[in-house]
Amino acid sequence: MGVPAFFRWLSRKYPSIIVHCVEEKGKECNGVRIPVDTTKPNPNEVEFDNLYLDMNGIIHPCTHPEDKPAPKNEDEMMVAIFEYIDRLFNIVRPRRVLYMAIDGVAPRAKMNQQRSRRFRASKEGVELVDEKQRMREEIIQRGGYLPPEEIKERFDSNCITPGTEFMDNLAHCLRYYVAERLSNDPGWKNVVVFLSDASVPGEGEHKIMDFIRRQRAQPNHDPNTHHCLCGADADLIMLGLATHEPNFTIIREEFKPNKPRPCSLCGQTGHEMKDCQGVAREKQGQHDEFADTMPVSEQEFIFIRLCVLREYLERELTMASLPFPFDFERSVDDWVFMCFFVGNDFLPHLPSLEIREGAIDRLVNIYKDVVHKTGGYLTQNGYVNLERVEMIMQAVGVAEDNIFKKRKEDEENFRRRNKEKRKRMKVEQQGPAYLTTGQFAPQALGRRDVPEPIQNARHQAYDMRMNPREQNNKNAAQSLKAMLRNEGSSSSGANESQDRRAPKRKAEDSDSDPEPEDNVRLWEDGWKQRYYKNKFDVDVTDSDFRKKVVQSYVEGLCWVLRYYYQGCASWKWYFPFHYAPFASDFKDIKEMFTEFEKDTMPFKPLEQLMSVFPAASGNFLPPTWRNLMVSPESSIIDFYPDDFAIDLNGKKYAWQGVALLPFVDERRLRAALAEVYPDLTPEEARRNSLGSDVLFVGKSHPLYDFIHELYRDECNKGTVVPPELCFGIQGLLNLDNNPVLPDKPVKSPIPTLRDISQSTAVSVKFKDPEFAVGYVFKAVLLPGAKIPTKVLKPGDWERGNRGPWRPQLGFNPNRQQAHLDQSGFRALGHSLNRNQQGGGQYSNTPPPGTYHQGSYRPQHAGGHRGFQHSRPNPQLGASQPYQQPQFSRHQQQPPQYSGGGHGWNRVVQSQPSAYQQNANRDRGGPRHAGYQQPHDHWQDRQDDRRGNRGQPQQGYGSSRSYPPPPPSRRWN
Amino acid sequence: MAAQRGGDDPVSEYLQQNPHLAGWVDSLRGFCETSKQWSARREFILRNMEGQGVPAAQPGAHSPSLDSLLSLSMVWANHVFLGCSYPPSVMDKIKEMGEGIAVQDAPTHKTTKAKGKRSAGTEGESDSYVKRNKGGTNDLEARSSGRTAVRPSSQKSAPPPQAPAEHQPFFNRLYKAVAWKLVSAGGFGPNLDHFEVLRSCVESCKQTLTCVFVPLKDITGLPAVRAQKEGHVCELRCLTVYMGTGYGRDESAARAMASKEALKVFQGRKVTVKICRRRFRGRDVDDLMLLDEQPRSQGFPPALSYPFQEEQLEGGSPQRSTV
């Protein structure tokens, strides 16, 4: 979904949905890599049945990564993709199905977004190159140093679009990859692999949904299948909820904000291109030994447990005293529907609903009201009740005025706060103007060297006064003098002296960020009129036009919901405007939508390329087709502007704005293409045709012999999969023209990888089960589905007198807690005591109350209550008595000892081991109010470890009893 | 729909006389087109039908020549209403075809060079000189962009004699603004972003700066030594008053140089707006110039644009960088 904020909002509001992945890494022994045995139980203590990969979320980071050097050629990209899939496979370890779906031709509704992205990518690419060139010249003129420009073809990410040669190659490579793994990797041997490449129409995630939906609707489906879907898009969460499968988990890369990116000019991190100075690279490590190591850690993965989200939603949506029994499943569907209002890939979001401003909470409140009033839900099985939607919209419409005013207010507050913060930071960075030096120099608490007693204090003080080397102090004194002088002169009025201080300060005040001009000014009266005038170029009185916009939007809402619950209702429909109407414009919408056009067909791959590519990407198309994009005689030249306006629409960055691109006229496109169709080579015609999903199985799979038999019989009819052979999965099998066959070699399409001399896999075309034309897929829990055990703390837990609540941190509610037994403690104590001669002068004293922002409260009575960085958590102290020699690795914060056992902490701190990662990872549990927090801690540890690399014996916590200082102090 | 606006509009009048055309042409209207856009595009289609050899046919019948006309009409409309631009050959064509169609206050869109992601800092750079319809630059813009917007009718081939006096107060204010800005930036020097300084000052005085770019190779009559092939020349004006000219390898370098030249004028004790004679396209013309007090050793560089000109005098007008 085009709402980057959605996931952040969700994970903050419902923190327990996130579980950090435990990943077993491959080991290396004498230079030989030992792969992980994925037949072993999943270290996440859960077994998944099906793993679905939305491949575009994998292809993009693998082909043009943002945090590491880009692969040099296509082969390296493919290998990167394979490795990425391997990694996911190792984490998830599916036992039944691996489904790989690459985006195929998308519905028209989506194509407009794709078009806008590709046109922008192309425009940005050109501008980046220009900008780079300009900066380069400037820096070199100033005498800066820049590494020579690499002569490298820029990877045009636009080629990740169905129909290009790249996508064709990718499909080819993935076939090889699957055959290779099925033949050689024991973890894959019982897995059925589906590959839906770019030649199969539909967006990747929706092809996956279609698969799940159709499997659910057939009688052999196992209602307790555990699905795991990989992808970062927020709409996967919606899609997962829309399936109504009780066990549905999403895996995605952990979102890390503000990761450092190397400057694209000099390749160093720490600044952006526009600030590049062209200074020589700093040595990494003493002898530049870390030159090629990226300072960023490898991306971690997280699970998003939709069953936990369902628990949260149940709490939030349940309505008491309804005139009819409350149906949670229906209300989930309504919730999903309301999330579309704040943004989706197919419609621009309503101006008044902004996810950051709590739009969804607002909608939920209104929704409950509406359900009470009308006695029914908004949607059923993906069909919308427009009358009830209108009530919701009207309720939002009433508040619209205030929302806009409040938005402006918040924005101004935010800007003011930011400015103040900047000011504060500046003062902090400057540090004190005067510092005592020598013996009197301030010393950090808890450092190893014990301060000496002061000797000859008078002499030292004299030194400090007189020593000319203390430049800082001298400056401080001078500026003080200057200030005094200035005061004197300003009174006399003639401030002719070129004192730079005063005007400079003034300039800083005035140069607040240039704000983009906003003509609409939604916060002022007359906003509606201005909005329609500015955005649509019509008068507010033109109600026909307004109605048209609203009608299209209503159609859009119906289309999107249907798309999520029933599949693509119309390949043709799209929202033909660049902006959304206001909520208050939704009047009399009940009659606005009846049905979509039936039997629409998706575009062919090359047709889609013609409608989403700018002329600059024309090289992916045959010459005569390309010519239609540039020639003044072309009858579709209007689709291909070489530059276009971007309306920031109140946003700050160009990429958030609206690209004002013309829409494609399908009729004219087809007419123009009809003339160049004969120019396609057979190869291009093949790429332009629609393909089919392919199913692969390995030798030991029960379906293997069945398929093998089909090939021997050369059975040309479609054959139904016998469900008992394949975990109840159904579908139609057709012989593949170019199959992977048992005991036949498979040639490697990548020079660096070996051919498979004897493949033991077999592939066959697969088609999802078909249903009758008017069939409606039911959005309900299936009979026999078992709801997983609850994770959230029941609201009445305290009353139940059941002892302290133990939050569940992973998948397994009865997780074995790790602990050290007595011998372990003996060993620790033994090795630690030896190194602890000094013991740290403060180790037996509690830190002063001001340390750590005062969140530490000395608890002498118990003596063993841990304190935390973030916030007091009374439960922790109560439920985890630390006297016990039992240490859970689930504890949020390593316990702090004020007594004898302070060694434990130290070991954790200084051990760069997997153990530590686990300890960290497990902390993302329900106790965390915010999802961000684990990052900070994690980062914290990362830094520690880096610091420890050189001198492993001096961990931060080695001789102290409180945690390391926040990393910012040390590393900035 | 525009057809109902009454008979004073020649297009509606024409359609009333040719009712068979009216039905046909209305079948070409796009679903999301506003009345205003449609009536303009309809005029474009009707005017160019014959030139493109399009027979008026039954609604729904399409021929390649019609499609090509439709496409050009969309190019024109996208350019006027959405702010899209197309390759030069296409633009030239639609400029010609759209000649004479009047569009009342067309929306203004900026093709602000969308700076690469997350570099908001540079955003402000280019939007100042694409703001339209401000100051006296209307006609110049309209011409160069192929827009056929309404033009001020009172055009003379020389600036009005009272113009210097009219503009002088503004430049006095600008002089102060520049002086303060330079003080706060640490004085006039080579490391300033001269354009940025000038732009922000002009904007703080509520005016806009106009840049005109001409590729060096398009300038005739240069001494042979200077006749390099590459590079651009930029001329800056504000309120039609000439401020400076600069040359650079690309447009932004030229602009920076022109701004530097303009700022040099502000280094004197005051600035004055005067009417001076200078060359423009091989002729001597009177132009409004911003001058300091120093006696000039050389003459002025030839003008690249001339905002006080009769219409028929111009041939190709200089290309503005961003439209």
Side-chain angles (χ1 to χ4, degrees):
Chain A
M1 192 185 300
V3 199
F6 183 81
F7 179 70
R8 205 169 29 192
W9 172 82
L10 202 72
S11 56
R12 288 207 180 145
K13 181 151 189 215
Y14 308 120
S16 292
I17 60 174
I18 295 190
V19 172
H20 283 242
C21 293
V22 179
E23 181 181 357
E24 197 181 319
K25 300 265 181 187
K27 294 180 184 65
E28 215 177 274
C29 186
N30 296 337
V32 181
R33 240 190 80 235
I34 304 165
V36 181
D37 182 2
T38 50
T39 54
K40 294 264 165 53
N42 193 321
N44 291 292
E45 300 188 292
V46 64
E47 291 298 330
F48 294 101
D49 296 315
N50 297 2
L51 169 63
Y52 308 93
L53 304 178
D54 177 9
M55 290 295 291
N56 283 59
I58 297 174
I59 301 169
H60 279 282
C62 287
T63 50
H64 49 108
E66 292 198 332
D67 56 349
K68 50 179 174 247
K72 287 186 194 66
N73 52 38
E74 218 174 282
D75 295 333
E76 277 188 22
M77 290 178 193
M78 298 300 170
V79 172
I81 292 171
F82 296 169
E83 280 169 1
Y84 199 103
I85 300 175
D86 280 340
R87 226 185 129 194
L88 280 168
F89 193 93
N90 171 33
I91 295 172
V92 177
R93 305 191 181 180
R95 304 304 184 198
R96 295 182 185 170
V97 169
L98 172 65
Y99 195 108
M100 293 187 252
I102 306 173
D103 278 358
V105 173
R108 252 328 277 283
K110 169 84 179 184
M111 251 188 251
N112 289 331
Q113 193 208 36
Q114 294 179 326
R115 185 171 153 82
S116 140
R117 281 191 191 152
R118 283 165 182 71
F119 271 75
R120 279 170 201 239
S122 172
K123 179 171 162 156
E124 273 163 20
V126 171
E127 277 162 11
L128 188 71
V129 169
D130 287 355
E131 175 81 7
K132 242 181 174 171
Q133 194 54 41
R134 197 180 62 78
M135 289 288 301
R136 248 190 119 74
E137 260 173 40
E138 215 169 88
I139 289 173
I140 287 170
Q141 272 173 12
R142 276 202 307 245
Y145 164 78
L146 285 178
E149 214 163 354
E150 295 161 65
I151 303 179
K152 170 173 84 173
E153 217 173 299
R154 204 175 74 85
F155 176 71
D156 185 352
S157 61
N158 280 359
C159 74
I160 309 176
T161 313
T164 60
E165 255 171 276
F166 177 81
M167 293 308 267
D168 195 53
N169 282 345
L170 176 66
H172 196 61
C173 292
L174 282 175
R175 280 170 181 241
Y176 159 79
Y177 166 74
V178 172
E180 205 281 332
R181 292 296 186 272
L182 281 175
S183 308
N184 297 329
D185 191 324
W188 288 55
K189 71 179 181 197
N190 286 317
V191 174
V192 193
V193 181
F194 293 93
L195 174 62
S196 180
D197 64 28
S199 65
V200 183
E203 290 181 80
E205 67 264 38
H206 287 271
K207 291 199 274 192
I208 292 169
M209 283 306 124
D210 227 35
F211 175 80
I212 298 176
R213 200 162 34 228
R214 285 165 189 273
Q215 293 303 331
R216 284 187 92 228
Q218 52 94 3
N220 300 297
H221 174 71
D222 172 6
N224 291 308
T225 308
H226 200 157
H227 307 271
C228 183
L229 172 53
C230 169
D233 268 9
D235 63 349
L236 298 184
I237 296 173
M238 312 289 166
L239 285 168
L241 287 174
T243 59
H244 292 275
E245 286 282 285
N247 297 295
F248 205 108
T249 305
I250 287 167
I251 181 171
R252 59 170 283 167
E253 280 187 5
E254 189 173 16
F255 174 70
K256 282 196 185 145
N258 307 328
K259 262 194 310 185
R261 272 201 278 173
C263 162
S264 49
L265 276 179
C266 65
Q268 299 177 59
T269 50
H271 59 267
E272 281 182 53
M273 189 177 88
K274 65 177 165 114
D275 301 324
C276 188
Q277 297 292 322
V279 284
R281 205 166 55 80
E282 273 174 53
K283 260 198 236 169
Q284 308 287 316
Q286 205 179 351
H287 305 288
D288 208 10
E289 66 267 36
F290 303 125
D292 293 325
T293 53
M294 275 297 220
V296 284
S297 56
E298 196 180 23
Q299 270 296 348
E300 301 276 320
F301 285 92
I302 50 172
F303 288 118
I304 300 160
R305 301 189 63 195
L306 295 192
C307 59
V308 182
L309 180 58
R310 279 168 58 93
E311 275 184 61
Y312 276 116
L313 289 178
E314 188 160 7
R315 288 190 180 185
E316 194 167 328
L317 297 173
T318 300
M319 290 168 268
S321 68
L322 281 181
F324 50 90
F326 173 72
D327 184 349
F328 171 60
E329 303 301 323
R330 291 284 297 277
S331 70
V332 167
D333 294 339
D334 288 357
W335 188 82
V336 168
F337 179 62
M338 287 188 292
C339 289
F340 294 153
F341 291 145
V342 298
N344 59 68
D345 286 348
F346 314 98
L347 296 167
H349 75 96
L350 296 176
S352 51
L353 295 176
E354 188 76 57
I355 195 148
R356 293 178 193 82
E357 299 168 1
I360 294 181
D361 292 331
R362 181 188 295 273
L363 284 168
V364 165
N365 286 336
I366 296 171
Y367 164 73
K368 286 184 173 173
D369 231 37
V370 168
V371 173
H372 264 285
K373 267 189 214 146
T374 65
Y377 300 96
L378 301 180
T379 69
Q380 181 164 32
N381 298 330
Y383 292 83
V384 185
N385 183 326
L386 289 175
E387 219 172 328
R388 293 175 186 153
V389 172
E390 182 172 339
M391 292 181 69
I392 293 213
M393 293 305 231
Q394 286 304 320
V396 176
V398 169
E400 230 157 23
D401 213 5
N402 287 328
I403 294 175
F404 295 138
K405 278 191 186 133
K406 171 121 196 321
R407 184 178 298 169
K408 176 70 180 170
E409 228 168 75
D410 290 352
E411 220 167 77
E412 269 164 7
N413 283 341
F414 174 76
R415 215 172 305 147
R416 207 194 54 236
R417 272 202 311 276
N418 247 2
K419 204 167 149 187
E420 277 163 12
K421 191 173 152 202
R422 268 205 301 274
K423 236 187 242 166
R424 234 180 14 248
M425 298 276 280
K426 215 171 194 173
V427 172
E428 259 173 45
Q429 268 172 16
Q430 278 172 352
Y434 180 78
L435 271 183
T436 50
T437 49
Q439 295 178 67
F440 292 118
Q443 296 209 7
L445 288 175
R447 269 226 311 254
R448 292 213 127 200
D449 37 333
V450 184
E452 314 255 315
I454 304 284
Q455 290 170 348
N456 209 352
R458 284 184 109 182
H459 183 75
Q460 179 76 48
Y462 172 81
D463 265 359
M464 283 187 329
R465 270 201 315 278
M466 304 310 286
N467 199 340
R469 278 171 305 177
E470 305 300 336
Q471 203 55 45
N472 271 339
N473 294 346
K474 210 177 171 195
N475 288 348
Q478 241 169 16
S479 72
L480 203 68
K481 274 183 204 150
M483 247 159 67
L484 291 172
R485 228 190 2 247
N486 258 353
E487 246 161 54
S489 65
S490 67
S491 60
S492 67
N495 204 351
E496 285 286 323
S497 68
Q498 282 282 333
D499 185 10
R500 283 194 187 169
R501 272 166 210 278
K504 205 173 193 174
R505 204 166 301 137
K506 198 174 155 200
E508 275 156 15
D509 281 344
S510 62
D511 75 352
S512 51
D513 283 344
E515 285 298 309
E517 195 179 16
D518 184 357
N519 295 322
V520 181
R521 300 190 306 282
L522 286 170
W523 60 94
E524 272 174 36
D525 281 349
W527 45 271
K528 196 177 244 184
Q529 191 187 338
R530 278 194 302 274
Y531 183 82
Y532 276 101
K533 183 72 205 150
N534 272 289
K535 304 297 183 192
F536 294 100
D537 193 21
V538 296
D539 292 325
V540 78
T541 48
D542 189 347
S543 59
D544 280 350
F545 185 83
R546 238 186 327 154
K547 210 169 155 190
K548 241 191 241 180
V549 179
V550 172
Q551 183 185 344
S552 301
Y553 204 89
V554 167
E555 282 173 5
L557 288 173
C558 296
W559 186 90
V560 177
L561 195 71
R562 193 87 67 85
Y563 190 43
Y564 276 51
Y565 281 85
Q566 302 290 336
C568 187
S570 160
W571 290 92
K572 251 184 166 167
W573 182 88
Y574 67 97
F575 183 68
F577 300 95
H578 291 109
Y579 304 93
F582 289 106
S584 47
D585 292 326
F586 285 75
K587 287 198 185 102
D588 308 318
I589 60 171
K590 194 185 166 198
E591 306 302 326
M592 281 190 176
F593 170 74
T594 45
E595 198 36 68
F596 291 107
E597 192 180 334
K598 286 252 179 345
D599 299 322
T600 52
M601 292 299 283
F603 275 21
K604 294 278 182 55
L606 290 184
E607 293 169 357
Q608 133 132 347
L609 291 187
M610 286 297 286
S611 50
V612 300
F613 271 173
S617 297
N619 51 319
F620 296 116
L621 286 156
T624 50
W625 293 50
R626 192 184 314 163
N627 194 37
L628 289 174
M629 298 171 130
V630 289
S631 155
E633 271 71 49
S634 152
S635 63
I636 50 171
I637 184 68
D638 55 314
F639 305 164
Y640 311 103
D642 63 2
D643 198 4
F644 52 92
I646 289 179
D647 176 14
L648 287 178
N649 203 15
K651 300 286 197 312
K652 199 168 176 195
Y653 302 109
W655 54 272
Q656 295 170 310
V658 181
L660 297 176
L661 282 169
F663 297 105
V664 167
D665 178 347
E666 191 174 338
R667 186 198 62 74
R668 259 193 302 127
L669 177 70
R670 287 189 191 281
L673 291 183
E675 293 183 11
V676 290
Y677 250 107
D679 301 336
L680 292 187
T681 62
E683 166 66 15
E684 282 158 351
R686 184 185 63 74
R687 267 198 281 136
N688 194 33
S689 59
L690 299 186
S692 164
D693 299 340
V694 182
L695 178 154
F696 297 81
V697 284
K699 194 163 200 167
S700 56
H701 194 279
L703 201 56
Y704 176 85
D705 290 327
F706 183 83
I707 295 171
H708 201 181
E709 203 59 34
L710 290 182
Y711 276 105
R712 273 193 217 123
D713 295 351
E714 292 178 8
C715 155
N716 283 321
K717 289 199 304 290
T719 317
V720 177
V721 181
E724 65 279 7
L725 290 186
C726 194
F727 322 109
I729 289 168
Q730 245 180 20
L732 215 57
L733 301 181
N734 270 302
L735 297 192
D736 198 349
N737 305 326
N738 190 13
V740 175
L741 283 176
D743 307 323
K744 292 273 162 57
V746 177
K747 254 190 100 58
S748 160
I750 299 166
T752 51
L753 299 181
R754 271 177 301 173
D755 295 349
I756 317 170
S757 52
Q758 266 208 332
S759 143
T760 55
V762 66
S763 77
V764 68
K765 281 187 188 170
F766 176 84
K767 197 164 172 33
D768 289 332
E770 295 276 355
F771 292 86
V773 175
Y775 186 86
V776 173
F777 295 96
K778 295 273 183 296
V780 290
L781 277 182
L782 291 179
K786 291 191 216 81
I787 299 289
T789 45
K790 297 265 191 254
V791 167
L792 301 183
K793 181 180 172 187
D796 58 354
W797 180 268
E798 266 79 25
R799 259 180 289 145
N801 214 0
R802 282 166 283 188
W805 166 254
R806 311 192 92 200
Q808 178 183 333
L809 293 148
F811 283 89
N812 183 2
N814 309 310
R815 194 171 202 174
Q816 190 73 48
Q817 303 209 326
H819 65 273
L820 292 179
D821 62 12
Q822 279 194 337
S823 61
F825 271 98
R826 264 202 310 280
L828 276 177
H830 181 70
S831 61
L832 285 176
N833 281 339
R834 197 171 288 168
N835 288 341
Q836 244 176 13
Q837 324 96 327
Q841 60 211 318
Y842 300 115
S843 62
N844 288 320
T845 332
T850 49
Y851 196 73
H852 270 290
Q853 296 91 41
S855 67
Y856 172 79
R857 291 157 300 150
Q859 296 268 334
H860 291 294
H864 293 296
R865 177 173 290 198
F867 75 90
Q868 290 172 286
H869 275 300
S870 45
R871 60 201 72 205
N873 189 339
Q875 262 182 26
L876 184 68
S879 66
Q880 311 270 359
Y882 294 135
Q883 289 101 319
Q884 292 176 7
Q886 210 199 35
F887 283 89
S888 142
R889 43 183 202 144
H890 308 306
Q891 276 153 13
Q892 262 191 316
Q893 196 63 41
Q896 307 304 321
Y897 272 76
S898 32
H902 42 213
W904 185 83
N905 187 17
R906 181 218 157 174
V907 171
V908 176
Q909 300 281 355
S910 59
Q911 220 176 30
S913 69
Y915 171 69
Q916 189 188 357
Q917 291 178 18
N918 291 344
N920 264 294
R921 199 178 279 119
D922 291 339
R923 289 207 237 114
R927 278 183 187 165
H928 273 288
Y931 165 55
Q932 290 311 345
Q933 242 164 333
H935 292 162
D936 303 340
H937 294 251
W938 174 233
Q939 209 50 51
D940 210 328
R941 295 309 170 84
Q942 282 286 310
D943 288 333
D944 283 357
R945 255 192 283 162
R946 222 177 306 137
N948 289 338
R949 196 161 0 195
Q951 22 181 305
Q953 287 308 310
Q954 298 183 358
Y956 262 124
S958 60
S959 55
R960 312 177 309 184
S961 54
Y962 36 88
S968 57
R969 300 272 165 213
R970 189 176 157 140
W971 295 96
N972 286 351
Chain B
M1 201 152 296
Q4 279 106 46
R5 272 191 204 151
D8 50 322
D9 166 9
V11 179
S12 338
E13 211 169 288
Y14 173 71
L15 286 176
Q16 269 163 19
Q17 287 161 11
N18 301 284
H20 66 286
L21 267 183
W24 168 77
V25 81
D26 273 341
S27 72
L28 303 174
R29 179 173 180 176
F31 173 77
C32 52
E33 241 171 333
T34 66
S35 306
K36 178 172 151 187
Q37 288 170 12
W38 169 236
S39 64
R41 193 164 74 93
R42 185 178 59 179
E43 187 173 347
F44 184 98
I45 294 172
L46 292 171
R47 272 174 185 246
N48 292 294
M49 266 171 68
E50 275 155 44
Q52 298 286 305
V54 176
Q58 290 304 307
H62 292 284
S63 62
S65 57
L66 171 62
D67 278 352
S68 155
L69 173 61
L70 286 181
S71 181
L72 289 170
S73 76
M74 285 306 296
V75 169
W76 180 79
N78 292 339
H79 174 60
V80 175
F81 295 106
L82 283 185
C84 294
S85 74
Y86 289 82
S89 56
V90 184
M91 292 299 275
D92 290 345
K93 200 165 175 180
I94 57 145
K95 260 179 232 169
E96 202 177 296
M97 294 169 75
E99 197 73 45
I101 301 176
V103 175
Q104 300 279 316
D105 84 288
T108 53
H109 293 293
K110 309 165 186 173
T111 50
T112 308
K113 291 266 177 338
K115 297 294 168 185
K117 287 183 188 171
R118 290 145 221 263
S119 60
T122 46
E123 256 170 23
E125 180 193 331
S126 51
D127 40 318
S128 63
Y129 59 99
V130 288
K131 279 181 200 150
R132 296 176 195 206
N133 302 333
K134 278 193 185 168
T137 60
N138 240 339
D139 50 344
L140 189 132
E141 275 192 58
R143 252 177 266 134
S144 58
S145 62
R147 276 163 182 267
T148 45
V150 205
R151 296 176 187 173
S153 53
S154 60
Q155 283 179 355
K156 294 170 191 155
S157 56
Q162 73 276 18
E166 274 171 11
H167 293 318
Q168 188 61 47
F170 166 75
F171 284 96
N172 289 345
R173 265 181 290 136
L174 183 61
Y175 178 81
K176 274 189 192 162
V178 170
W180 277 113
K181 184 79 182 177
L182 285 180
V183 167
S184 70
F188 185 73
N191 291 328
L192 286 176
D193 183 345
H194 296 101
F195 173 67
E196 194 48 40
V197 169
L198 191 59
R199 179 193 71 87
S200 64
C201 290
V202 169
E203 285 187 3
S204 72
C205 297
K206 307 277 187 284
Q207 283 301 336
T208 34
L209 205 55
T210 316
C211 309
V212 171
F213 296 105
V214 176
L216 192 63
K217 59 180 189 302
D218 292 359
I219 300 180
T220 48
L222 286 177
V225 200
R226 295 269 184 82
Q228 285 166 283
K229 278 280 175 282
E230 284 183 19
H232 293 263
V233 186
C234 171
E235 179 180 281
L236 292 175
R237 284 176 189 265
C238 184
L239 288 172
T240 69
V241 178
Y242 167 85
M243 297 177 74
T245 306
Y247 161 78
R249 291 188 50 179
D250 55 17
E251 292 187 342
S252 70
R255 195 179 64 193
M257 188 50 80
S259 312
K260 193 173 170 185
E261 286 302 310
L263 284 178
K264 275 185 189 164
V265 178
F266 285 88
Q267 300 309 300
R269 283 181 161 270
K270 64 179 193 183
V271 291
T272 334
V273 182
K274 278 186 184 149
I275 295 181
C276 300
R277 272 195 104 63
R278 64 193 293 210
R279 302 291 287 179
F280 172 63
R281 298 241 179 93
R283 294 177 295 126
D284 276 326
V285 291
D286 283 331
D287 197 359
L288 274 180
M289 318 270 286
L290 188 68
L291 302 173
D292 53 10
E293 289 181 317
Q294 262 138 39
R296 298 186 74 90
S297 53
Q298 305 165 309
F300 304 108
L304 301 182
S305 69
Y306 190 56
F308 316 101
Q309 189 180 16
E310 294 284 14
E311 248 170 82
Q312 55 266 37
L313 288 180
E314 11 173 313
S317 54
Q319 278 277 325
R320 289 168 48 79
S321 69
T322 326
V323 173

